[in-house]
Amino acid sequence: MKRRIATLLGPGAEAEALALPHTKLIAVWLVLMWERLWPALWLAVSLAGLFAAVALFDVLPLLPGWLHLAALVGFAAAVLLAAIRGLRAFRPPTAADARRRLETASGVPHRPLTALLDHQATGTADPASRRLWQLHRQRLREAMAKWRVGMPSPGVPARDRYGLRAFVFLALLLAGIGAGGDWAERLDRAFSPHFGRIGLADTASLDLFITPPDYTGAAPLYLSAADIASAEGTPATPEIVQIPVDSVVLARVTGGGTLPNLAVDEAATPFEAIDGRSYEITHTLTAGSRIAVEQGRDTLGAWPIAIVPDAPPTIAFVTPTAESERAALRLDFQAADDYGIETVTARLELTAEATAAGPGLDTTPIEIALSVPGRRPREARAASYHDLTPHPWAGQPVQLTLVATDSAGQEGLSETVDLVLPEREFTHPVARAVIEQRRSLMLDPDSHPIVSEVLDTLSLRPDRYYDDAVVFLALRTASRRLALATDVATAIEPVQELLWDTALRIEDGELSIAERELREAQQALMEALDGDATDQEIRELMDELRQALDEYLKAMQENLMEQLARGELPEMMPDPNSQTIDRDQLNEMLEQMQDLAESGSRDAARDLLAQLQEMLENLQAGVMQQQQQQQQNQSNQAMELMEQLQDLTRAQQELLDRSFRESQQNQQQGQQGEQGQQSQQQGQQGQQGSQSGSQFGREGAAIQEALRRALGDMMRQMDDLTGGIPMPLGRAEQSMRQSEQALSQGQAGQSIQPQADSVDQLQQGLQDFVDQVLEQMAQQNNGQIGSMMQQLNSGRDPLGRPLPNSGGMNTEEVGIPDQADVQRAREILNELRRRLGQRSRSSEELDYIERLIRQF
């Protein structure tokens, strides 16, 4: 390293090599080299770049061979002469040039690098002189930190006044972009002139495009010269080109001088001349195995082809048709087509038996459009629900066929299945009667006078349909329309719709109407996701679906409220083991669906909507009704435990009353003994009283123990039912144990307070148990049905019956108290307060009265 630096700095400098900024000197030397070399070679490099751009543009192969060779020689000579001329005056920089350039670029005066290489000439024996010389050199070294190399300045712009370098650079850049991955082949063709080929002016070029029909969705085909096979055949035979039927061929020929022909097999069609050198033809391919373009005796291009016919779509049932829990027909299908499915339709036709049984039925087939996921998918699978219960064919045997149609209008049919259309079963007598009259009107339109009279009769008993004014007006309107109809055929259809809506209102109130609107909102959103709806339309439909879902849940709540108000057992009993979903989760699904649709993932949004529809169709009454018996058994068990706890509370209250009376008798006998009445009769009575007290103690202790054991059994059952035991019941059990110990010792007075505490705790435990049952129902149903029942059944048990009050009394048969009962209760309360103020009474009695007042 030292030697290289010394060589750069000059002879005799090796000793001082490390004292100089050698790194910057090397950089300065390279800068000087570039400043001298680039002006000498820029013209040669520019000419080489211009040749590279011409080569990448693939221009040279279009020239005749001799002209191609002349261009190569001309470019080579120009580059060589420019390089020789530029290098003739080139001189490499020296070490002195590097040092001087570094001193100049740094702006340091007095040439410090040269001074740094100097040696002390005189005064070497003088210490002061040597010290002064060292300080001088040290000051020069400190100046090294300020030295700069500077940017090279070759001065080429002064030589290239017209900016030819920029032109060459842009041309090379564009040529490289245009060549792409073909750059190596183009460079090879540029250095390989072909002397046997003709010039561009005599060449006939062919461009042939094949555009498949729009319904295929396939991209156009371009047949290039690399696929050409002559009529006589070549060693490299191209592969057979697959072309959809009815594809359009567009061929253009430029040059050649004669009119070309398009040959499909043996049939030839001449081109049309656009100008003197260009020709064009458009032809539709329906058959053939070979296509060629001929011009005179030459074949410009020939390709073996295969015309691919458009196959009809196929469709089949994935799972058998089924009826959902909401009486909707479920259709699960899978379809496929080679170019895409346009529509899928379910076609329903009445069977011959149904037509014979109901001659008045309209036999026109029902066409139901089914949703197809995506836009013209090649393969599709979807499941959908369709409510056909309002249709006149509900309950009739029909034949179902699925029809798939492609964009070319071809149809594919599935197998035909026989089924009975789902029919809505009505339980309300009036609703069932209205449906029967509607069916009679459908099967025999001539029976409209009889139907009118029956409807008029049904309307006269409003108490049978909950005094609903809407139902009354609907029945009267339907009756009058049929009675006054001049054209029965025209009047029957709107009357049928009116009777159907009336029956639904009687049966379910607003629930069925809300259910229908919810289905319509789901179907509208499904069609929008399958089509080309905008984000704004999707957002509006999502809002409509959200509103329809809210209305449906609200209708469910109102329907349940009406059933409970009438004392009916709701059909939808929640199953503690079933999966449930609350309104927040439904809203979260809708928000996620909207986000997916707006982000472009409409297929995912459609799948999520299908899951929601599947959930709403089957995760309601169906799942709940399957487990209704189990839930009802649990509710009955809870009610039985409540009644047992009430009986236990009454038994404990009776034992408390007996203990209180026994304590009063013992107290009176004790007072008589203190007064000194020592007669034999009184002594016998005292002995009998003692024996009676001892007998009651043993009997009361046995009763108390039995009550305590019964309470223990009930607490175990409560634990199994609700997973917990109310804490007041545990305290009641401890009080019972204290009471039993006092009674077994014959101390009836000492057992009163524990018994009173146990009564209080039993009453509180009963209320806590009721709360646990209601809370468990709300948790099991994830806050939906359970919370609804808890809100509706305030003060009622899980079966809708009134709950016991906090005083342990069963108010099942107790009506709302009138003003007289309220006044009587006030009088009793005043009397209790008056007795509480008589301090002469015993402490047990005063404590008992105080607890009675505390209940109020």
Side-chain angles (χ1 to χ4, degrees):
M1 182 65 182
K2 294 180 179 180
R3 292 181 179 179
R4 290 199 296 267
I5 298 174
T7 302
L8 179 62
L9 298 178
E14 182 174 357
E16 304 295 337
L18 296 178
L20 296 179
H22 54 275
T23 304
K24 293 184 179 180
L25 286 174
I26 295 175
V28 168
W29 186 86
L30 293 176
V31 167
L32 291 175
M33 178 64 75
W34 174 253
E35 289 180 350
R36 297 183 183 186
L37 185 62
W38 176 235
L41 296 178
W42 76 270
L43 183 58
V45 173
S46 299
L47 291 174
L50 181 61
F51 172 78
V54 173
L56 292 177
F57 276 125
D58 210 15
V59 175
L60 296 178
L62 300 177
L63 301 176
W66 63 270
L67 187 57
H68 187 176
L69 180 60
L72 290 177
V73 173
F75 271 111
V79 172
L80 183 60
L81 290 176
I84 294 174
R85 181 179 177 182
L87 294 175
R88 183 180 302 171
F90 172 75
R91 294 291 182 271
T94 62
D97 295 336
R99 290 196 300 271
R100 184 57 186 158
R101 174 61 180 269
L102 181 59
E103 293 170 346
T104 304
S106 301
V108 181
H110 307 303
R111 304 185 67 178
L113 285 178
T114 304
L116 192 62
L117 294 176
D118 291 340
H119 299 277
Q120 184 177 358
T122 60
T124 55
D126 183 11
S129 299
R130 290 197 303 272
R131 180 59 180 168
L132 183 60
W133 178 255
Q134 292 176 357
L135 290 176
H136 170 66
R137 293 176 62 85
Q138 181 65 28
R139 191 178 297 109
L140 293 176
R141 293 191 189 96
E142 292 176 354
M144 291 181 185
K146 300 180 181 180
W147 291 347
R148 300 188 303 271
V149 176
M151 297 298 295
S153 180
V156 175
R159 301 170 183 266
D160 184 14
R161 298 179 181 180
Y162 299 103
L164 297 179
R165 294 169 295 123
F167 170 77
V168 172
F169 174 76
L170 291 177
L172 186 61
L173 178 62
L174 294 176
I177 295 175
D182 195 32
W183 64 273
E185 290 79 3
R186 294 192 179 189
L187 290 178
D188 181 66
R189 288 195 295 268
F191 286 100
S192 303
H194 295 278
F195 297 96
R197 59 181 296 177
I198 62 175
L200 180 61
D202 300 326
T203 301
S205 62
L206 170 65
D207 294 317
L208 192 145
F209 299 89
I210 299 178
T211 304
D214 293 338
Y215 67 82
T216 62
L221 301 175
Y222 172 68
L223 302 183
S224 63
D227 300 327
I228 291 179
S230 65
E232 295 76 17
T234 60
T237 303
E239 298 181 356
I240 298 177
V241 181
Q242 304 291 330
I243 301 176
V245 68
D246 295 331
S247 296
V248 178
V249 177
L250 175 61
R252 292 190 180 96
V253 175
T254 303
T258 60
L259 188 67
N261 294 322
L262 176 67
V264 179
D265 290 344
E266 301 300 329
T269 305
F271 279 62
E272 294 181 0
I274 301 177
D275 52 33
R277 299 183 63 255
S278 300
Y279 312 93
E280 185 177 281
I281 189 175
T282 301
H283 181 75
T284 302
L285 294 176
T286 56
S289 59
R290 178 179 178 274
I291 183 173
V293 177
E294 301 171 350
Q295 191 177 38
R297 296 182 179 181
D298 297 330
T299 300
L300 303 181
W303 297 267
I305 62 174
I307 303 300
V308 181
D310 183 12
T314 60
I315 188 171
F317 291 97
V318 178
T319 59
T321 58
E323 178 181 352
S324 72
E325 300 299 339
R326 291 160 61 187
L329 181 64
R330 186 178 189 272
L331 301 179
D332 189 2
F333 69 90
Q334 185 172 8
D337 186 68
D338 46 3
Y339 297 119
I341 302 167
E342 187 70 21
T343 60
V344 175
T345 306
R347 182 181 300 164
L348 296 171
E349 298 178 349
L350 276 178
T351 61
E353 295 80 4
T355 304
L361 291 176
D362 184 7
T363 58
T364 304
I366 303 175
E367 299 284 346
I368 304 175
L370 306 182
S371 298
V372 180
R375 183 174 177 82
R376 287 208 301 262
R378 293 177 180 247
E379 295 183 357
R381 175 178 178 178
S384 57
Y385 293 86
H386 306 275
D387 184 16
L388 299 176
T389 55
H391 198 273
W393 292 5
Q396 301 294 331
V398 297
Q399 292 181 334
L400 171 62
T401 306
L402 298 181
V403 182
T405 307
D406 61 9
S407 299
Q410 301 182 101
E411 291 186 350
L413 305 179
S414 69
E415 61 175 344
T416 301
V417 294
D418 296 329
L419 73 151
V420 177
L421 284 184
E423 183 180 13
R424 172 69 184 267
E425 295 183 1
F426 292 86
T427 59
H428 194 279
V430 178
R432 192 164 54 247
V434 171
I435 293 300
E436 290 295 335
Q437 297 307 310
R438 179 176 180 266
R439 183 178 291 108
S440 300
L441 192 62
M442 290 187 300
L443 298 177
D444 186 11
D446 295 334
S447 64
H448 67 278
I450 301 176
V451 174
S452 176
E453 294 179 2
V454 174
L455 295 177
D456 188 53
T457 304
L458 290 175
S459 67
L460 298 178
R461 296 295 302 273
D463 56 313
R464 294 189 176 182
Y465 48 82
Y466 316 121
D467 295 320
D468 193 335
V470 176
V471 175
F472 173 79
L473 293 176
L475 293 176
R476 298 291 290 182
T477 301
S479 175
R480 292 298 91 194
R481 284 186 180 180
L482 294 177
L484 302 176
T486 57
D487 187 359
V488 178
T490 306
I492 283 181
E493 183 175 355
V495 170
Q496 289 177 350
E497 296 179 1
L498 179 60
L499 293 179
W500 177 259
D501 293 340
T502 303
L504 290 180
R505 183 177 180 87
I506 298 173
E507 183 77 12
D508 296 332
E510 299 291 339
L511 180 59
S512 297
I513 299 177
E515 179 181 345
R516 181 176 58 193
E517 294 177 352
L518 177 60
R519 281 199 178 105
E520 293 175 354
Q522 290 174 346
Q523 184 64 25
L525 181 58
M526 185 73 72
E527 294 175 355
L529 292 175
D530 292 336
D532 297 328
T534 62
D535 292 342
Q536 180 62 28
E537 294 174 347
I538 295 292
R539 193 177 300 109
E540 293 176 356
L541 292 174
M542 287 293 304
D543 294 338
E544 293 178 3
L545 176 59
R546 189 177 290 105
Q547 182 179 0
L549 183 59
D550 292 340
E551 292 295 334
Y552 178 71
L553 296 178
K554 180 181 178 181
M556 288 181 60
Q557 180 178 356
E558 292 177 352
N559 184 58
L560 182 61
M561 182 186 300
E562 292 174 359
Q563 290 184 7
L564 293 174
R566 296 193 296 266
E568 300 176 2
L569 179 64
E571 295 182 359
M572 294 187 301
M573 296 298 295
D575 171 29
N577 298 320
S578 64
Q579 294 182 355
T580 57
I581 185 169
D582 59 12
R583 183 170 300 187
D584 293 337
Q585 292 174 325
L586 290 176
N587 290 331
E588 184 178 353
M589 289 185 65
L590 294 177
E591 293 295 338
Q592 184 179 3
M593 193 186 310
Q594 183 171 348
D595 293 340
L596 290 174
E598 292 180 353
S599 62
S601 303
R602 296 199 173 183
D603 291 340
R606 187 190 184 282
D607 295 340
L608 192 60
L609 178 59
Q611 295 178 11
L612 176 63
Q613 187 178 16
E614 185 87 15
M615 184 186 309
L616 294 176
E617 288 289 345
N618 296 308
L619 194 62
Q620 291 189 10
V623 177
M624 296 175 183
Q625 288 174 357
Q626 292 177 1
Q627 305 294 334
Q628 179 176 356
Q629 187 62 39
Q630 178 181 0
Q631 175 65 22
Q632 186 173 359
N633 293 337
Q634 293 179 351
S635 300
N636 292 336
Q637 184 180 0
M639 189 60 196
E640 184 179 354
L641 285 175
M642 295 177 192
E643 295 176 353
Q644 292 178 2
L645 194 57
Q646 287 179 340
D647 295 339
L648 181 64
T649 304
R650 284 193 292 268
Q652 184 64 54
Q653 184 67 47
E654 293 176 358
L655 181 60
L656 174 61
D657 294 340
R658 291 183 57 186
S659 300
F660 182 75
R661 289 193 296 269
E662 185 67 23
S663 175
Q664 291 289 81
Q665 292 178 2
N666 294 338
Q667 186 177 6
Q668 292 177 1
Q669 292 174 1
Q671 291 176 356
Q672 292 176 0
E674 293 176 358
Q675 293 175 359
Q677 298 178 357
Q678 302 296 334
S679 61
Q680 182 177 2
Q681 182 178 1
Q682 291 173 346
Q684 293 176 356
Q685 291 178 353
Q687 184 178 3
Q688 292 176 359
S690 176
Q691 294 176 357
S692 175
S694 177
Q695 181 179 359
F696 170 76
R698 290 191 299 273
E699 181 181 354
I703 296 174
Q704 186 66 81
E705 180 64 18
L707 293 178
R708 189 182 67 82
R709 293 180 179 274
L711 178 60
D713 294 338
M714 281 187 283
M715 287 193 295
R716 284 190 293 272
Q717 296 179 20
M718 290 177 184
D719 188 23
D720 295 337
L721 183 64
T722 63
I725 301 174
M727 295 182 61
L729 296 184
R731 294 192 291 266
E733 194 272 341
Q734 296 177 0
S735 299
M736 287 182 178
R737 189 182 299 275
Q738 297 175 3
S739 173
E740 188 270 336
Q741 294 176 357
L743 290 174
S744 62
Q745 297 174 4
Q747 299 176 358
Q750 297 296 328
S751 67
I752 292 177
Q753 185 61 41
Q755 292 183 39
D757 293 341
S758 64
V759 171
D760 292 341
Q761 297 300 330
L762 288 174
Q763 294 170 353
Q764 184 62 37
L766 176 61
Q767 185 62 38
D768 290 352
F769 177 63
V770 172
D771 295 340
Q772 286 183 1
V773 171
L774 294 177
E775 182 179 0
Q776 183 185 33
M777 292 182 64
Q779 293 177 353
Q780 289 172 349
N781 293 278
N782 205 8
Q784 183 179 358
I785 301 299
S787 298
M788 188 185 304
M789 292 185 64
Q790 187 174 7
Q791 294 175 1
L792 298 178
N793 297 340
S794 179
R796 292 178 177 268
D797 66 9
L799 299 181
R801 295 173 292 190
L803 291 173
N805 60 5
S806 60
M809 300 298 293
N810 190 348
T811 60
E812 177 80 25
E813 301 177 356
V814 179
I816 300 176
D818 55 12
Q819 188 65 27
D821 295 333
V822 175
Q823 183 63 30
R824 178 61 178 168
R826 289 176 180 173
E827 294 176 357
I828 294 176
L829 180 59
N830 293 332
E831 179 63 20
L832 290 175
R833 289 174 177 171
R834 187 186 64 83
R835 295 187 180 183
L836 184 62
Q838 298 175 355
R839 309 312 298 176
S840 60
R841 297 182 179 274
S842 63
S843 59
E844 290 83 2
E845 182 179 3
L846 293 175
D847 182 73
Y848 180 71
I849 295 174
E850 184 178 3
R851 286 186 286 105
L852 288 177
I853 294 177
R854 197 164 39 225
Q855 293 298 324
F856 291 94

